[in-house]
Amino acid sequence: RTLFTSSFTSPLLNISSNYTDSNYTDKTEESDGNLVVQATVAILLSLLTCATTLSNAFVIATIYQSRKLHTPANLLIASLAVTDLLVSVLVMPISILYTVSHTWTLGQVMCDIWLSSDITCCTASILHLCVIALDRYWAITDAVEYSKKRTRSRAAGMIAIAWVIAISISLPPFFWRQVKAEEVTSCNVNTDHIFYTIYSTFGAFYIPTLLLIALYGRIYVEARKRILKQSPKKTGKRLTSAHLITNSPGSVASTTSLNYGTNETSSCDAVVSANNQVKVTVSDALLEKKRISAARERKATKTLGIILGAYIICWLPFFIYTLLVPICTTCTFYPELFDIFTWLGYLNSLINPIIYTMSNEDFKQAFHKLIRFNCCRS
C-alpha cells in the first residue's frame, strides 16, 4: 500500500513541481519584459525632456545675446520659452518617474507641488500662445496705431495677465484637499468636483483655443489680402528713375519719377539735348520689394497654420479625456492612454521654440552666431 501510494503521488509531485517552475519562469520573463519596456520608456521620455530644456534654453540665450531681438514681440516669445523651460524642469522629470512606475512615492506635499506646477506652467504656456497671437493680430490689423502702443511694459503686462489666469486655475484644488493618513500611492487631480473640471478645462484650453482660431483666422485673411495686393500684375504702371546729367559746370544731378504704361521694357536710354543728357532707367526695385514682402506673408501664413495645428494636435486629446472622466461614469478609461495624452501635451513645449524661432530669419542668424561664439570659446 505504501509502495502504491508512493508510486501514485510521485508523478503528481513532479507535475506540481514542473508547473511551479514553469509559472515562476513565466513570471520572471514577464518581469524582465516589463523592466525592458520601463527602461525604454524612461530613456525616450528623458530624451524628450532634455531636448525641451535645451531648445528653450537656447531661445532664451539667443534673445538675451542679440540686441536686435530685444523687441516687445520677441519678449513674448522669450517669456513663452521660459514657461516651457519650467515645464521641462519642474514637471516632466517627476512625470517620467510617475509614468514609468505608476506609483507615487514622493509624499502628499510633493504631489501638491507637482500638480500645481503642472497645471500652472502648462496653462501659462497655452495662454502665452494667445498673447502672441493677440499681439500679431493687433500688429497686422492696426499697424500704425499699435506700433506706438507696442512697448515692453505692455508686453510685460500681457505676460503678467497670462500668469495670473494660470495660477487662478491651479489654486482651487487646494481648498478642498484632504490630508490622508495612509500612504499616498497615486497623485492625480481630484475629478469629483465636476464644476472645477469644466472651469479648468475651458479656462486652460477650450476658450483659448477658440480665441486662437478666431485671431489666426483674421490674421490669415489680412495676410491673404496683402498677398493679393502685392502680387505683380502683367500690365500696369511701373516706377522708373530718371537721372539728369548736365555737362555745364556746377550742375546738380536730380532724380524724377516717370510712369510707363508697359512693363515689357526693362531699361531705356534716351533724350539727348545740346547741353543735357537724360538717362532714364526702369527700376525693378519696387516690384522686387513687393515680391519679397508677398513671399514673407505666405511664409507667415504657413507658419500660423503649423502653430495652430501643432497646438491642437498636442493638447486636444488630453483635454477631451480630462473632460470625459467626470462626465461619463460608464466609460472605461485606461491609465496608459492618459499617460500618452499627457506627454503629447508636454511635446508642445518642445515644438513651440522650434516653430517660433526657425520661421524667423533674425532668430536663425542670431542662433548661428551664438553657436559659433560658444564653439570659439570652447
Side-chain angles (χ1 to χ4, degrees), residues 16-145:
S16 177
S17 176
N18 292 335
Y19 177 77
T20 304
D21 293 341
S22 176
N23 193 24
Y24 176 77
T25 304
D26 291 341
K27 287 183 178 179
T28 303
E29 291 178 354
E30 183 180 355
S31 177
D32 292 340
N34 289 335
L35 287 175
V36 172
V37 172
Q38 289 177 344
T40 304
V41 171
I43 292 171
L44 292 176
L45 296 183
S46 298
L47 291 175
L48 175 61
T49 302
C50 291
T52 305
T53 303
L54 291 175
S55 60
N56 286 288
F58 268 117
V59 170
I60 298 168
T62 301
I63 295 176
Y64 177 78
Q65 290 287 342
S66 178
R67 290 180 176 271
K68 188 178 181 181
L69 298 177
H70 292 177
T71 63
N74 289 331
L75 179 62
L76 298 177
I77 294 178
S79 182
L80 172 64
V82 170
T83 306
D84 289 331
L85 181 64
L86 291 176
V87 173
S88 67
V89 172
L90 300 179
V91 180
M92 294 171 71
I94 297 177
S95 186
I96 293 173
L97 179 64
Y98 191 36
T99 301
V100 172
S101 64
H102 289 289
T103 303
W104 186 260
T105 58
L106 301 177
Q108 181 67 54
V109 175
M110 197 64 190
C111 174
D112 294 336
I113 295 173
W114 177 66
L115 284 179
S116 61
S117 300
D118 189 356
I119 298 172
T120 303
C121 294
C122 290
T123 303
S125 177
I126 294 173
L127 294 177
H128 269 75
L129 299 180
C130 294
V131 167
I132 293 172
L134 197 59
D135 176 73
R136 291 185 174 183
Y137 169 75
W138 284 330
I140 198 171
T141 57
D142 190 17
V144 177
E145 289 297 325

Side-chain angles (χ1 to χ4, degrees), residues 326-344:
I327 295 176
C328 185
T329 55
T330 59
C331 299
T332 303
F333 299 100
Y334 299 96
E336 294 80 9
L337 199 60
F338 179 77
D339 291 337
I340 293 172
F341 292 159
T342 299
W343 279 95
L344 189 61

Side-chain angles (χ1 to χ4, degrees), residues 56-343:
N56 286 288
F58 268 117
V59 170
I60 298 168
T62 301
I63 295 176
Y64 177 78
Q65 290 287 342
S66 178
R67 290 180 176 271
K68 188 178 181 181
L69 298 177
H70 292 177
T71 63
N74 289 331
L75 179 62
L76 298 177
I77 294 178
S79 182
L80 172 64
V82 170
T83 306
D84 289 331
L85 181 64
L86 291 176
V87 173
S88 67
V89 172
L90 300 179
V91 180
M92 294 171 71
I94 297 177
S95 186
I96 293 173
L97 179 64
Y98 191 36
T99 301
V100 172
S101 64
H102 289 289
T103 303
W104 186 260
T105 58
L106 301 177
Q108 181 67 54
V109 175
M110 197 64 190
C111 174
D112 294 336
I113 295 173
W114 177 66
L115 284 179
S116 61
S117 300
D118 189 356
I119 298 172
T120 303
C121 294
C122 290
T123 303
S125 177
I126 294 173
L127 294 177
H128 269 75
L129 299 180
C130 294
V131 167
I132 293 172
L134 197 59
D135 176 73
R136 291 185 174 183
Y137 169 75
W138 284 330
I140 198 171
T141 57
D142 190 17
V144 177
E145 289 297 325
Y146 187 61
S147 62
K148 303 174 184 177
K149 304 175 184 177
R150 203 179 194 184
T151 61
R152 292 185 183 181
S153 58
R154 185 186 181 94
M158 296 167 72
I159 293 169
I161 292 173
W163 277 103
V164 168
I165 296 174
I167 293 171
S168 68
I169 291 174
S170 66
L171 280 181
F174 284 99
F175 294 107
W176 57 72
R177 181 180 68 84
Q178 296 179 353
V179 180
K180 298 179 181 179
E182 67 274 9
E183 185 180 356
V184 178
T185 58
S186 63
C187 183
N188 299 302
V189 177
N190 191 350
T191 57
D192 295 338
H193 296 77
I194 188 170
F195 292 107
Y196 170 72
T197 302
I198 295 173
Y199 161 74
S200 60
T201 53
F202 273 80
F205 177 76
Y206 292 107
I207 294 176
T209 301
L210 292 176
L211 180 61
L212 280 172
I213 293 173
L215 291 174
Y216 281 148
R218 289 294 303 274
I219 293 172
Y220 176 80
V221 170
E222 290 295 328
R224 291 296 301 172
K225 286 181 181 178
R226 292 190 179 189
I227 291 171
L228 293 175
K229 286 180 180 180
Q230 293 169 354
S231 297
K233 298 180 181 179
K234 292 183 179 180
T235 59
K237 297 181 179 181
R238 292 181 66 176
L239 183 63
T240 66
S241 59
H243 302 283
L244 178 62
I245 304 173
T246 307
N247 293 329
S248 59
S251 61
V252 180
S254 63
T255 301
T256 60
S257 295
L258 303 177
N259 289 322
Y260 279 76
T262 178
N263 58 356
E264 297 177 357
T265 307
S266 61
S267 63
C268 174
D269 293 333
V271 188
V272 179
S273 62
N275 296 322
N276 300 328
Q277 179 183 3
V278 179
K279 184 179 180 182
V280 182
T281 305
V282 179
S283 174
D284 289 333
L286 183 60
L287 290 177
E288 184 64 24
K289 185 177 180 181
K290 285 186 176 182
R291 280 193 289 267
I292 294 173
S293 181
R296 287 179 178 175
E297 293 291 350
R298 291 190 187 95
K299 186 176 181 180
T301 304
K302 290 179 182 179
T303 303
L304 295 181
I306 295 172
I307 291 169
L308 191 58
Y311 160 74
I312 292 176
I313 291 172
C314 287
W315 281 115
L316 184 60
F318 172 83
F319 281 98
I320 290 177
Y321 187 99
T322 304
L323 190 60
L324 285 178
V325 168
I327 295 176
C328 185
T329 55
T330 59
C331 299
T332 303
F333 299 100
Y334 299 96
E336 294 80 9
L337 199 60
F338 179 77
D339 291 337
I340 293 172
F341 292 159
T342 299
W343 279 95

